[in-house]
Amino acid sequence: MTASDIDHAAQALLQARRSGVQIAPPGPAPADTDAVYAIQDKVAAALGPVEGWKVGAPSPTATPTCAPLLAGHVALAPARFAAGSMHMLGVEAEVAFRFARDLPAAATAPDGDAVLDAVGSAHVVIEVVDTRLANWKSLDPLWPLADNAMNKALVVGPAFAGWRDLDYDRQPVRLTVDGKAVVDRAGGNSGGSPLRLLTWLAGHVVTRRGGLRAGQVVTTGSWVGLQFVSPGATVVAAFAGLGETQVTFPA
């Protein structure tokens, strides 16, 4: 992917966001995550300050990938998003961390303790998923990642305590849609411990994306996969002993 291809892709994704009309990929697929992150950065630069980040991985040993949460895309629970404003209604139950102090840009990544010491609070969240890309399932997976990993919004619930010492592998999670459980199990984050993913994300952003700022929130991957709901649905993500968060999609 050339510099021109990267710019063209970013401009096309910006136009899709502004018009509300999905697009076909505007050229060759990104060759690697370097190209993906360059596209993400151009979109973010055009749409205002980054309010946070999302990170995830397909396994506990796989290298994570990430995307920024754009200005105006982090909301407090309970939240509402008109179903007619979205191309698809996707939801994921996650755990997120809000930073209490900056981790400025640096040549080397901070160690794990420095990352955790900079965190002010942990939260149960729902990621709301949508995409600017038509036929996204048939595309090279780097395209949806370039589209900020299909983020629409992050709905942040109340803070919970004890997040450093939690047994995340055994943590119960329950996702309900209109009062009916669609996922009810212990554990389930494909990337392993959220603290591993958080530490990787901090190192990536500090060394490559300008650093982290106090107030930014980092969400660390779905515990329930990507679940689709219908217009009018009310979705609740509950982590036993930690709290819950809610989003509604009025028709």
Side-chain angles (χ1 to χ4, degrees):
M1 215 177 192
T2 66
S4 177
D5 291 332
I6 289 170
D7 186 65
H8 188 200
Q11 292 304 315
L13 288 168
L14 281 167
Q15 178 59 27
R17 285 177 177 274
R18 289 164 175 159
S19 69
V21 177
Q22 287 182 316
I23 60 168
D32 51 32
T33 55
D34 287 340
V36 165
Y37 297 147
I39 294 168
Q40 291 177 357
D41 288 346
K42 284 181 175 291
V43 171
L47 294 178
V50 170
E51 291 194 4
W53 296 86
K54 59 174 291 183
V55 59
S59 77
T61 58
T63 300
T65 57
C66 65
L69 305 176
L70 300 178
H73 289 243
V74 177
L76 296 179
R80 296 164 60 90
F81 298 93
S85 70
M86 299 175 61
H87 305 291
M88 65 185 192
L89 306 180
V91 292
E92 299 178 345
E94 307 191 7
V95 170
F97 304 88
R98 190 180 295 277
F99 279 81
R101 63 172 185 263
D102 295 350
L103 288 177
T108 57
D111 65 32
D113 286 340
V115 173
L116 300 188
D117 287 346
V119 171
S121 56
H123 302 260
V124 172
V125 301
I126 293 174
E127 183 179 5
V128 179
V129 179
D130 195 10
T131 181
R132 276 56 59 177
L133 295 166
N135 301 317
W136 62 273
K137 289 184 179 180
S138 64
L139 300 178
D140 184 303
L142 289 179
W143 269 122
L145 183 59
D147 182 29
N148 281 18
M150 305 200 302
N151 174 259
K152 163 71 175 178
L154 191 71
V155 180
V156 180
F160 63 84
W163 56 269
R164 279 197 186 220
D165 302 316
L166 197 64
D167 185 350
Y168 289 100
D169 288 340
R170 298 183 181 181
Q171 171 62 43
V173 57
R174 180 180 173 93
L175 186 78
T176 62
V177 179
D178 296 329
K180 180 180 178 180
V182 295
V183 178
D184 190 355
R185 67 185 181 203
N189 190 326
S190 63
S193 170
L195 302 185
R196 173 187 95 92
L197 297 163
L198 175 69
T199 300
W200 179 91
L201 183 282
H204 170 84
V205 175
V206 162
T207 58
R208 299 184 59 178
R209 315 286 283 270
L212 285 159
R213 301 192 315 276
Q216 287 184 326
V217 60
V218 174
T219 190
T220 54
S222 180
W223 294 53
V224 299
L226 173 56
Q227 303 292 328
F228 294 100
V229 301
S230 300
T234 294
V235 181
V236 176
F239 286 70
L242 307 185
E244 65 181 43
T245 186
Q246 177 179 305
V247 63
T248 302
F249 300 98

